Amino acid sequence: MGPIRAMLLPGAVLPAQRAYGALIEALGPDVDAAAKDLELYAGEDPPPGWSLDTEVDGVLREADARGWATFHLAGYSGGGAAALAVAAGHPERLLSLSLFEPAWAGTWDWSRAHALMWEKHDALEALPADQFLPAFMRLAVKPDVVLPPPPAGDPPPWMARRPAGIMAFLKNFRSYNLDRARLASFDRPVLFVLGGLSNPDNYEETGARLSTVFPDYRLEVFEVRHHFDPPHRIEPDRLAGLLRVHWDRAEIRHRADLL
């Protein structure tokens, strides 16, 4: 049968290997896991005309380079939004979809609280650079969550590109057309992983909305996690077990479809 083929997309802050190293180790040697960096950070500045479609093209190029006709796709935060765009545009390539608190999931059926949350995100653009990331992080968690202080010492060089990258995501979310009907036709297993301490107006609502879209959908809640101490970094063994069950079921279904 060969190893399980899975691509993992990070969020807009950590590079892919830093984000997923612990999870890849927990998944074990029979999972061929590709932690793919975002196309957004291929150069010093976001590529001209960058959009979620740029990330979709990058995912397909990576899969083709590896000889993967089909594969499992997982994405966290901004990478989760990109993973949704792959599922909408190229469902035939995916065996399953895993979403770790996607940063955005289309513009349909928003509650007033969700819309207000996005108005607050839009206001981030006016903030000075030194206030942008703290304000962005605060919007991702419940009000009483204590966020960790920045690491001691100078930030790594790649960190300087992150505010522009995050803003590129936020701007593209305003105009990108994530087709609900195309997502609803995606019949492969979908796993949504939610942190119990994350902002419910964002991620909990997103999980609830997507539960009405995908026909084969499962929600898993990590009660004491939030968006900036996510399960793939803090509880990789538990998440690896969930993913293995999710992927094994998808593999069995795919083999049955080929008969």
Side-chain angles (χ1 to χ4, degrees):
M1 290 173 48
I4 293 172
R5 304 179 302 273
M7 194 177 303
L8 312 174
L9 303 180
V13 179
L14 286 183
Q17 192 57 48
R18 287 184 180 231
Y20 287 119
L23 178 62
I24 290 171
E25 182 176 356
L27 286 169
D30 60 335
V31 176
D32 185 2
K36 183 195 175 301
D37 282 310
L38 297 174
E39 300 294 312
L40 183 64
Y41 298 125
E44 290 301 314
D45 298 306
W50 178 90
S51 76
L52 289 180
D53 288 336
T54 311
E55 299 301 333
V56 172
D57 292 343
V59 166
L60 299 182
R61 279 197 307 272
E62 179 72 17
D64 291 344
R66 292 172 174 270
W68 293 357
T70 56
F71 56 99
H72 304 277
L73 182 61
Y76 159 74
S77 195
L84 282 165
V86 176
H90 301 273
E92 74 285 351
R93 300 296 300 269
L94 301 187
L95 298 171
S96 75
L97 181 65
S98 300
L99 302 167
F100 310 152
E101 295 195 348
W104 177 84
T107 57
W108 63 85
D109 297 340
W110 285 10
S111 71
R112 176 55 189 155
H114 193 75
L116 179 60
M117 183 271 305
W118 279 110
E119 290 175 12
K120 293 177 180 178
H121 276 88
D122 289 342
L124 295 176
E125 189 170 2
L127 293 177
D130 62 332
Q131 297 179 27
F132 178 87
L133 278 176
F136 172 75
M137 293 177 67
R138 175 50 56 193
L139 286 175
V141 297
K142 289 184 174 179
D144 57 346
V145 169
V146 178
L147 290 168
D154 293 333
W158 49 262
M159 194 65 191
R161 291 182 282 167
R162 269 39 190 182
I166 294 168
M167 188 53 64
F169 267 114
L170 296 179
K171 289 180 177 179
N172 190 232
F173 294 160
R174 298 172 192 165
S175 59
Y176 191 84
N177 179 26
L178 185 65
D179 192 318
R180 186 189 190 282
R182 289 187 65 86
L183 288 179
S185 69
F186 184 83
D187 62 355
R188 301 300 176 181
V190 177
L191 173 67
F192 190 104
V193 175
L194 175 67
L197 299 181
S198 294
N199 183 345
D201 295 335
N202 189 348
Y203 308 108
E204 185 177 329
E205 173 161 328
T206 295
R209 286 195 301 117
L210 291 178
S211 72
T212 69
V213 174
F214 292 113
D216 188 343
Y217 181 88
R218 177 185 176 187
L219 172 70
E220 189 72 28
V221 180
F222 285 65
E223 294 290 350
V224 298
R225 300 273 72 84
H226 61 69
H227 199 68
F228 291 104
D229 67 346
H232 55 272
R233 290 197 289 116
I234 310 301
E235 296 187 58
D237 291 333
R238 178 183 167 191
L239 181 57
L242 291 171
L243 288 171
R244 292 300 300 261
V245 171
H246 178 60
W247 292 340
D248 285 346
R249 187 167 71 86
E251 296 271 346
I252 291 170
R253 177 173 174 177
H254 179 63
R255 289 195 293 272
D257 288 345
L258 295 177
L259 295 178

